[in-house]
Amino acid sequence: MKTVLVLGGTGEARALAAALAAALAGVRVISSLAGRVADPKLPDGEVRVGGFGGVEGLVAYLRAERVDAVVDATHPFADRITANALAATTATGTPFLVLRRPGWPPEDGWEYVDSVAEAAALVAGRRAFITTGRQELGAFTSGVARTVDPPDPPNPRLRLVLDRGPYTVDGELALMREHRVEVLVTKDSGGPMTAAKLTAARHLGIPVVVVRRPPPPDAPLVETVAEAVDRLTRGSGAG
């Protein structure tokens, strides 16, 4: 039986798990989630939750489960697990494929920065709508932050909105107007699930600060679930 380990709690990871089960007879698909979201959307099939214990832990897991291929379908900014997966698959000789949805096409009024901290410094003093996730909110001094789960530790200087996408343009327009948002801060996550905020910002003439993605790993890279399935069903593994 072919065993494929799919890393990530993204929509693409869930779709890939289902597509592989349908396309490959007898395939064992294991979906691995980091466990950072309290109530994640679970993919079909076998699921494990939690970290592996670094590169050594992942190497041991790949060998114990006799994994034939690893697909990294994590969030575009989950660079630590990507680096660990590349190192572990290299050490074990396991075929490795990266599935990354493309970033959003740049628009007029967007300013790119290299980190959340740089974005926070750039928007200091303005009412910002912050959609960078809950882990790096401490650098911001004002505005409204939207997260799926509450940040830990909290940032008392920010108003907090707990919500999970997908979002609508009308909903984003209402939120930005209610909080009198002056600038939108986002990571270049790509995809349609959270793109409504960009349309709303364009409609309202609000500038956008975009945190660039980490550089991709030195590994085969595809942008769609269909491409990933094709790689894995051609008999050449993920390489």
Side-chain angles (χ1 to χ4, degrees):
M1 177 186 293
K2 188 179 183 71
T3 299
V4 179
L5 176 63
V6 178
L7 304 174
T10 60
E12 290 84 4
R14 293 190 295 272
L16 178 60
L20 287 176
L24 293 174
V27 67
R28 179 191 180 201
V29 180
I30 308 170
S31 296
S32 177
L33 311 183
R36 292 175 180 167
V37 177
D39 185 24
K41 296 179 180 178
L42 297 179
D44 296 335
E46 190 173 342
V47 179
R48 70 171 302 279
V49 179
F52 291 96
V55 175
E56 291 184 1
L58 182 52
V59 166
Y61 183 86
L62 296 179
R63 288 173 173 159
E65 298 297 328
R66 299 188 179 186
V67 172
D68 297 293
V70 176
V71 183
D72 175 11
T74 58
H75 191 276
F77 284 80
D79 52 341
R80 180 177 296 179
I81 183 59
T82 296
N84 287 351
L86 177 59
T89 53
T90 299
T92 58
T94 306
F96 182 51
L97 179 67
V98 179
L99 169 58
R100 287 285 185 277
R101 57 181 177 259
W104 291 307
E107 297 184 17
D108 293 339
W110 290 14
E111 185 168 356
Y112 282 83
V113 295
D114 291 320
S115 68
V116 172
E118 187 178 344
L122 187 62
V123 304
R126 288 186 281 174
R127 290 187 296 274
F129 178 27
I130 305 156
T131 62
T132 57
R134 67 189 179 108
Q135 295 184 345
E136 300 174 89
L137 294 179
F140 292 92
T141 58
S142 62
V144 56
R146 181 172 63 204
T147 63
V148 175
D149 295 316
D152 185 20
N155 183 342
R157 297 170 294 185
L158 302 178
R159 293 186 179 183
L160 185 63
V161 174
L162 297 180
D163 198 6
R164 186 197 298 267
Y167 307 101
T168 66
V169 174
D170 286 345
E172 301 291 56
L173 285 169
L175 187 151
M176 292 183 189
R177 286 168 173 153
E178 176 186 354
H179 294 281
R180 297 178 295 135
V181 169
E182 297 174 324
V183 59
L184 169 64
V185 182
T186 185
K187 291 178 175 178
D188 186 16
S189 301
M193 180 172 283
T194 60
K197 62 191 173 187
L198 303 172
T199 303
R202 186 188 318 120
H203 180 81
L204 296 173
I206 293 173
V208 180
V209 176
V210 183
V211 181
R212 291 186 182 93
R213 294 181 175 192
D218 184 14
L221 178 70
V222 294
E223 294 185 340
T224 68
V225 170
E227 289 176 293
V229 171
D230 181 64
R231 285 285 190 117
L232 292 163
T233 56
R234 272 189 286 159
S236 57

